[in-house]
Amino acid sequence: MRFHLKFYLHYLVLLGFSGVISIYGPHQRAQKTGDILLGGLFPIHFGVASKDQDLAARPESTECVRYNFRGFRWLQSMIFAIEEINNSSTLLPNITLGYRIFDTCNTVSKGLEASLSFVAQNKIDSLNLDEFCNCTGNIPSTIAVVGASGSAVSTAVADLLGLFYIPQISYASSSRLLSNKNQYKSFMRTIPTDEYQAIAMAAIIDHFQWNWVIAIASDDEYGRPGIEKFENEMFHRDICIDLNVLISQYIDETEMRRLADRIENSTAKVIAVFASGPDIEPLIKEMVRRNVTDRIWLASEAWASSSLVAKPEYLDVMGGTIGFALRAGHTPGFKEFLQQVHPKKSSLNEFVREFWEETFNCYLEDSPRNEDSENGSTSFRPLCTGEEDIASVETPYLDYTHLRISYNVYVAVYAIAQALQDILTCTPGKGLFANGSCADIRKVEAWQVLKQLRHLNFINSIGEKVRFDNGSELSANYTIINWHRSPEDGSVVFEEVGYYSIHNKNGAKLSIDKTKILWNGHLTEVPFSNCSEECEPGTRKGIIDGKPTCCFECTECSDGEYSDHKDASVCSKCPNNSWSNGNHTSCFLKEIEFLSWTEPFGIALALFAVLGVLLTAFVLGVFVQFRDTPIVKASNRELSFLLLFSLICCFSSSLIFIGEPQDWMCRLRQPAFGISFVLCISCILVKTNRVLLVFEAKIPTSLHRKWWGLNLQFLLVFLFTFVQVMICVVWLYNAPPGSYKNYDIDEIIFITCNEGSMMALGFLIGYTCLLAAVCFFFAFKSRKLPENFTEAKFITFSMLIFFTVWISFIPAYFSTYGKFVSAVEVIAILASSFSLLACIFFNKVYIILLKPSRNTIEEVRCSTAAHAFKAAAKATLRQSHASRKRSSSVGGSSASSPSSSISMKTNGNETESPPTRRHGQKPRVSFGSGTVSLSLSFEEARKNSVN
């Protein structure tokens, strides 16, 4: 009893599913029985009729509209491959492949409706009813599906077939989302992913130097991922998208007009489209209606050769379109197979009847559309005779010159056949299944074919390697086509103008022959599609607030920068030794400058320095020649000789500042200048202070003579100079100066000396100025001493000049640059040196050479005596004034007459105190041989007033 119940239950299930087999799925199909069954999904129609399903009655299946001749050719390619395999004696011998092919109508709903029939048939086979009934007449399971075409349809179908591990090989679905093997476990394809096509499209835009484009994509799994990848590529290439929109073939008319307005008003002339032919067709029609002819269209592979838009009547707008096409393959015998199609010969292919009617614009007698004809919907069509010649009509169906998608279908069928062949020839123990077992080809299941496909590795007829393992993708090989108008009949011609290929090892390669491209309007020059005019060399792109980066203003490069090409984003900085030319298009070597011996300024300074050396040497020669004359003797000739030598060193040190600075010159010139000047100022200081102390001493003693001996004078000069020497030694040890190239000045490289330590230079000049200040103080105090003897007034004046020069030098030194720094210091050295030489020695040389009568001992004595007389008189007056004050305070009536005497040793002899002078006698001055004697006495009797 239980046995009969179980049998009855299975019988009911069998009857139920048998009914499903006969009625479920699209009624129109192409099918053939065989040992192994393959499924097929092709877009025989472009879409479905829009029908409002209000659910007032039982919903009816939507009607497919707009026949797709290319889709039917793809279907024929699958049938041709299966027939070729069945007729092969080497591939799957004694095994017949069958097929069940449905129309997806390029929509997801129809694709799922067809896929459910594959799944239902496989579930019946999984019940294993052979033990209860003879099921040999049943249709076998579908072990693999070829299709679908659109990525949106393939995505939905892949979700369904993946649940049952039915392998699916698409021939045209290129969405990069389908590369996710974790989500789409059983999906494979014989077309490259759109990720490569997006890169290729961006590469073409970059190739033609466009940076302002419009991006349009289908609002589905094909367009959205493709345009997303395209946007990323554009961003990395600094190309801007002015308008980015999604479209669909079902977009309403108002929205389409609004989109066309935005495109027409955009300044971007390039329109990149990732869409299928049916999706882009409504927009193309609207652009043709408006006659918008100034645009460049970039077509993705899905519509680059679509018969919906590649029409002669659209070429005024769409001419010059650049599109991508898959690399064509060669299928021998396929041309003849396509021409053999006929309704009477293809009883198993129900799509042939509609194809015949659409091709010849007629209807067959037993066609289901005949009823519509009687109702008047197709009354304009004549009755088909069946004798029409398919070769006499030009349709996309017979366009077999470039088999691209059709070849992908051919490869997909052969891939499945190759996997079945591997199962057939499997050696037990070396199989892919548990314990190395092999599948039974007579009872093979879909999951076993999927396992075999994942390990498939074969070469197709054009030499490309086909693999379906995880992570593998076909290499992208695209042919770049350009839409031309045929001169014979005005039809659309797809001219090959280049190619784009990506290989993992060799990278990407783009090749375009611009001479073959014919732009819209029969132009040969590349159209302009940039947000801003290109910037000429010498300028750069400047950002405009509120605008994309591709919209810019041309800004001239700054001085010292250049740009040698158009549309430079930034100006390049010239090397340190170069500077930009007038128009900032290139750099030239900077001129190297320093205080040169050959330039007029350097020659003038050198001549003045040499003149100073010669004049000082001349004065030194005069002093040596007349060293025994009174003026030379009275000038402390030993110190004068040393002073003149130091002046020669001062003049000579200025020459080290002229010429190209070298390290040794930089280390030598400041110490040479500083030590020479300190030696000079030290001589003047010691000399001036000695005379001052001698003349202010009332009674010279042996202590004065010992203190101011010649040895001590030289010792003081040495000590003063030694301090400066130590400053220079410390400076050169810790921070030695060196040669330095200053690149900061425009167009010029100044070679100067880096002083190493400005503090050390400040100490050097400061110490010199300190000695000069002390010298000025002593010279100012002794300015009224006998001028022929000390020339104090001239020393005071020379020190004033010295201070003026060096006080002016400090700001001038820090405010100048380059060679002028050295020039300023040379001028300061020469000015101060000439002032010392002229003020101290020129008057003496003048007397020695031109006024020898004044160079006598009497002249010196007279000037000395006059000074002594004045000094004694002033001293007596001061004492007399002090005595009167004291007398007034004690009431005295008279004051004694003071007397003064000055005793002085000259030439080693001392004078005795002069005798008292009689009342009324005039002052007397007497001179002895080698001795100067001076006595002054006077009395002044004053009467005190009596109060």
Side-chain angles (χ1 to χ4, degrees), residues 871-893:
K874 289 181 180 180
T876 302
L877 288 175
R878 284 195 299 270
Q879 292 179 7
S880 175
H881 184 66
S883 298
R884 285 200 304 272
K885 286 185 178 181
R886 287 196 298 270
S887 298
S888 298
S889 63
V890 297
S893 58

Side-chain angles (χ1 to χ4, degrees), residues 327-330 407 411 458-466 475 477 503:
R327 181 173 293 182
H330 179 60
Y407 181 74
V411 172
F458 80 105
I459 305 298
N460 60 21
S461 61
I462 63 174
E464 290 182 342
K465 182 180 291 186
V466 180
S475 58
N477 295 305
H503 298 281

